Amino acid sequence: MHRQPLLDQLTAYAAKHPDEAATVSRFIDFVKMEADCFERSLAIGHVTGSAWIVNADGSQVLLTHHAKLDRWLQLGGHADGEADVLAVALKEAREESGLTDFEPVGDGIFDLDIHPIPARKSDPEHLHYDVRYVLRATGNTDYIVSDESHDLRWVTPDEVEDLTGEESMLRMVRKWKASLLP
């Protein structure tokens, strides 16, 4: 089954984050029930892949001021049929930042979030089942702002808190700060 690798990653994530059991359970149920979970055309929702992009020493994270949602967020997007969600996160990181060189950090999923996306044009309101990975920018960190963003910005984890009050962003800040502790 093309969904099994993601289900395996979700199971590993659940073991590391028992405090997130309700979200992980909803995520697993969705992936098991929906054979087309990686397809944007699945109107109730779909799996997306995101990147918490950090600089070489991990002191800064790259955020996008998302054009459609008008909020500061991590970079990411639709799987469009791709079951390798890490590959989706890498593709989206490259497309949305213009950066080319990344290495995954850690062993698997960094964070999970299920959030509503408002109706827009012919698309009804739906859910994004967002799988988030940490990617370290290993080359040039001079980004290019794509059409999908109003702006991009390298910020410290503390500055993320100044840009957004969204719990999912603040949760990633807490996780990243905890990962930097000796």
Side-chain angles (χ1 to χ4, degrees):
M1 165 167 55
H2 69 293
R3 293 170 283 164
Q4 194 59 52
L6 177 56
L7 289 168
D8 293 344
Q9 288 183 58
L10 292 168
T11 299
Y13 183 86
K16 289 192 288 190
H17 300 281
D19 55 317
E20 297 179 42
T23 298
V24 178
S25 179
R26 279 183 62 203
F27 216 113
I28 288 171
D29 289 348
F30 174 75
V31 172
K32 283 182 176 179
M33 285 184 354
E34 300 294 342
D36 291 334
C37 64
F38 300 108
E39 298 293 343
R40 185 189 310 220
S41 59
L42 184 60
I44 61 168
H46 31 266
V47 172
T48 55
S50 290
W52 181 258
I53 300 172
V54 297
N55 64 351
D57 68 3
S59 63
Q60 294 185 312
V61 59
L62 183 63
L63 299 183
T64 176
H65 188 223
H66 196 278
K68 290 180 184 174
L69 298 175
D70 197 28
R71 296 188 302 225
W72 285 98
L73 302 167
Q74 76 287 347
L75 285 71
H78 292 96
D80 289 328
E82 174 60 65
D84 181 346
V85 188
L86 175 57
V88 172
L90 283 160
K91 177 181 82 73
E92 293 293 332
R94 289 180 180 115
E95 287 178 1
E96 293 182 11
S97 72
L99 304 179
T100 57
D101 301 316
F102 297 100
E103 65 182 15
V105 176
D107 58 343
I109 297 170
F110 174 62
D111 188 63
L112 292 174
D113 195 61
I114 303 169
H115 53 267
I117 299 297
R120 188 169 184 277
K121 297 182 181 176
S122 64
D123 293 331
E125 181 174 310
H126 59 280
L127 295 174
H128 277 183
Y129 290 80
D130 198 30
V131 183
R132 299 160 171 185
Y133 299 90
V134 177
L135 300 179
R136 184 178 317 279
T138 57
N140 184 350
T141 57
D142 296 334
Y143 55 77
I144 299 169
V145 179
S146 77
D147 293 343
E148 296 184 39
S149 302
H150 291 304
D151 196 8
L152 293 175
R153 188 183 302 171
W154 285 106
V155 297
T156 67
D158 289 336
E159 290 171 319
V160 173
E161 297 173 31
D162 296 334
L163 292 173
T164 180
E166 291 192 36
E167 174 52 30
S168 77
M169 295 296 292
L170 300 178
R171 185 179 60 241
M172 288 190 291
V173 167
R174 289 190 300 272
K175 285 180 178 179
W176 184 245
K177 285 180 174 181
S179 77
L180 297 175
L181 298 174

